[in-house]
Amino acid sequence: MKKYTFVLLILSLVLTGCWDRRELNEIAITLALGIDKVDEEFQLTAQVVVPSEVSMKQSSGRSTVTLFQATGETIFEAFRKMTIDSPRKIYPGHLRMLVIGEELAKAGVGESLDLLSRDWELRSDFYVVVAKDKTAAEILNVTTPIESIPANKMFNTLKTSEENWAVTKGVTLDELLGDFITDGKDAVLTGIQVFGNQEVGSSKQNVESITPAAQIQYDYLAVFRQDKLVGWLNESESKGYNYIIDSVKSTVASISCPEEGKVSIEVINSKSELKGKINKGKPEVNVTIEVEGDVGAVECHIDMKDTKTIDALEKSYEKELKEIVHQTIETLQKQYKSDIFGFGQAIHRSNPKTWKKIKNQWDEEFTELTVNVEVDMKIRDTGTVSNSFLQKLEE
């Protein structure tokens, strides 16, 4: 008997309850946060789930989310001030999206991200984006169709776009902070915008018609130098960036036919490699991109059964992609002076001793860096038909 009593005493010490347990009726589950700069304070906006509206049994048809907002000298202070409005403590443990206002991004986001980087309640798998031409609060104040919770819509749209279009980039908080502190690498974030009637967009009326009055849509990539937003890439430059850093999973590109018209190529596989070297005492980077694709649509008169036609299409794709990549690199070197590609890291890997000498002047070295680009494209499939039926229609 004494033996069993001793075992029970030991188990009572190790089988303790959860010290950090939170009851669901005590917390406000937050799926999206927005941070803006208002005068000298931080404005924090929390998109919180309304429990009764996500329950099939209790739903009354009202909005599935509500917003709480507070300002403070620090993000931590703003978090706590929300309790004067919210009946429950804001809980960001299930966060999916962090939206940073453009003005705050231009001023620098380092201070505002410190709390989020050290908060034990936060997981690190949420996406960070920048509100373009809007505040973060305005982005979070738009209702969305298909996905009734706007944070889920933003998360899933970014994930889908990154995998299928290649002009956006899903960046988590850990990845962003890693880019901020890594020598020879600057950060990018995807931009997000609101189009349409903002006033109607914040009401349930916005999702009651086929075409919403206001819609949230992703833009292209925001370029950072250190922790400050310095500019935006356009569509082709954003795609060029993703090709360079080996982040293209799939996309579609239209290339010119030999005479007139277009051929659409679906990229099914892409691989890129960066190699740094020192050439005659100067840093240099080689970018090699290998692409595989299928013919998706033919809108011109070409013979798809002729191997010479396939060769010509491959060469055309290589030429156009090479031009896009060169233009992307030139924009970053001459306009923004920001090494978002990690060319500095490539030099570091190839020649650590030289990198140690030049890393403090890398901003200047990057603008004059020689970058050699090679593109190899292979068309694997032309579809279930050889030549387009359009040729028959026009005969």
Side-chain angles (χ1 to χ4, degrees):
M1 186 67 180
K2 291 182 179 179
K3 179 180 178 181
Y4 291 118
T5 304
F6 178 74
V7 170
L8 289 173
L9 287 173
I10 295 297
L11 289 175
S12 68
L13 294 175
V14 296
L15 298 179
T16 57
C18 295
W19 65 272
D20 59 345
R21 186 184 66 183
R22 301 291 181 85
E23 298 293 343
L24 285 176
N25 62 356
E26 296 176 351
I27 58 176
I29 297 176
T30 303
L31 296 185
L33 285 174
I35 308 176
D36 292 296
K37 192 77 170 178
V38 178
D39 297 325
E40 296 303 315
E41 291 191 313
F42 293 108
Q43 177 179 274
L44 188 66
T45 304
Q47 188 179 95
V48 173
V49 175
V50 179
S52 62
E53 296 307 315
V54 295
S55 169
M56 294 297 293
K57 294 181 178 180
Q58 301 181 38
S59 176
S60 63
R62 296 192 297 268
S63 175
T64 57
V65 295
T66 188
L67 295 185
F68 292 105
Q69 197 171 76
T71 58
E73 294 183 6
T74 67
I75 298 298
F76 201 1
E77 182 180 305
F79 254 116
R80 288 301 176 89
K81 284 179 69 175
M82 283 186 182
T83 58
I84 64 176
D85 185 23
S86 172
R88 304 179 181 185
K89 186 176 179 181
I90 301 298
Y91 178 71
H94 298 287
L95 195 68
R96 307 209 83 187
M97 297 296 305
L98 173 63
V99 184
I100 298 172
E102 185 170 11
E103 292 306 311
L104 173 60
K106 289 177 180 177
V109 300
E111 291 181 1
S112 59
L113 297 181
D114 181 77
L115 169 66
L116 301 181
S117 69
R118 66 177 69 242
D119 190 338
W120 61 268
E121 289 184 329
L122 277 170
R123 299 183 306 186
S124 60
D125 58 351
F126 58 88
Y127 288 142
V128 187
V129 295
V130 177
K132 186 176 183 182
D133 301 326
K134 293 286 184 180
T135 64
E138 288 173 314
I139 297 293
L140 297 185
N141 197 29
V142 176
T143 58
T144 54
I146 299 183
E147 294 282 2
S148 60
I149 297 176
N152 287 341
K153 188 273 184 189
M154 289 187 281
F155 182 92
N156 293 328
T157 300
L158 181 53
K159 194 172 187 296
T160 302
S161 174
E162 179 186 32
E163 293 175 351
N164 295 281
W165 185 226
V167 299
T168 57
K169 175 71 173 162
V171 179
T172 64
L173 180 65
D174 282 351
E175 292 169 336
L176 177 63
L177 298 179
D179 287 342
F180 284 163
I181 64 175
T182 299
D183 290 333
K185 178 73 165 67
D186 285 305
V188 300
L189 289 175
T190 298
I192 189 168
Q193 293 180 297
V194 175
F195 294 97
N197 189 324
Q198 179 82 46
E199 184 176 347
V200 177
S202 63
S203 67
K204 195 170 186 296
Q205 178 185 346
N206 193 52
V207 295
E208 292 177 341
S209 60
I210 294 176
T211 304
Q215 298 187 61
I216 301 172
Q217 180 178 312
Y218 282 108
D219 194 66
Y220 309 124
L221 296 178
V223 177
F224 283 76
R225 191 162 63 239
Q226 295 181 340
D227 71 332
K228 292 184 173 69
L229 171 66
V230 294
W232 297 87
L233 300 183
N234 60 30
E235 183 177 54
S236 65
E237 291 167 346
S238 297
K239 190 173 287 189
Y241 163 80
N242 279 315
Y243 269 110
I244 292 169
I245 68 163
D246 195 23
S247 188
V248 173
K249 298 177 178 66
S250 179
T251 187
V252 174
S254 295
I255 57 176
S256 301
C257 296
E259 295 181 5
E260 62 177 12
K262 293 283 186 179
V263 171
S264 294
I265 304 293
E266 179 190 13
V267 173
I268 58 173
N269 189 31
S270 176
K271 180 177 177 57
S272 66
E273 186 176 19
L274 305 182
K275 286 189 176 181
K277 63 179 181 179
I278 304 300
N279 186 10
K280 297 179 181 179
K282 286 289 187 179
E284 196 169 300
V285 171
N286 293 331
V287 179
T288 304
I289 303 173
E290 298 177 356
V291 182
E292 295 180 353
D294 296 337
V295 175
V298 178
E299 300 175 11
C300 60
H301 293 286
I302 55 176
D303 185 1
M304 296 299 296
K305 293 179 289 185
D306 189 344
T307 57
K308 292 182 179 178
T309 299
I310 302 300
D311 290 341
L313 290 176
E314 290 173 346
K315 296 301 179 188
S316 179
Y317 188 99
E318 290 169 357
K319 180 176 180 291
E320 293 189 24
L321 179 54
K322 199 170 182 178
E323 289 174 354
I324 289 172
V325 169
H326 275 301
Q327 178 57 52
T328 304
I329 294 170
E330 183 178 348
T331 297
L332 271 299
Q333 286 183 314
K334 307 306 179 187
Q335 186 173 348
Y336 299 135
K337 299 177 174 58
S338 174
D339 181 8
I340 60 176
F341 313 108
F343 289 160
Q345 289 181 308
I347 299 297
H348 185 194
R349 289 192 298 268
S350 68
N351 200 314
K353 289 184 179 179
T354 301
W355 172 251
K356 190 174 181 179
K357 295 177 183 177
I358 66 174
K359 71 175 184 177
N360 292 332
Q361 295 81 40
W362 182 242
D363 287 347
E364 293 77 17
E365 293 281 356
F366 171 71
T367 61
E368 302 298 327
L369 180 70
T370 298
V371 183
N372 307 304
V373 179
E374 291 296 328
V375 178
D376 180 57
M377 201 291 171
K378 298 298 181 188
I379 293 177
R380 299 303 184 191
D381 195 356
T382 59
T384 57
V385 297
S386 51
N387 293 326
S388 174
F389 71 91
L390 296 175
Q391 293 186 26
K392 291 291 184 181
L393 294 177
E394 297 176 6
E395 287 178 356

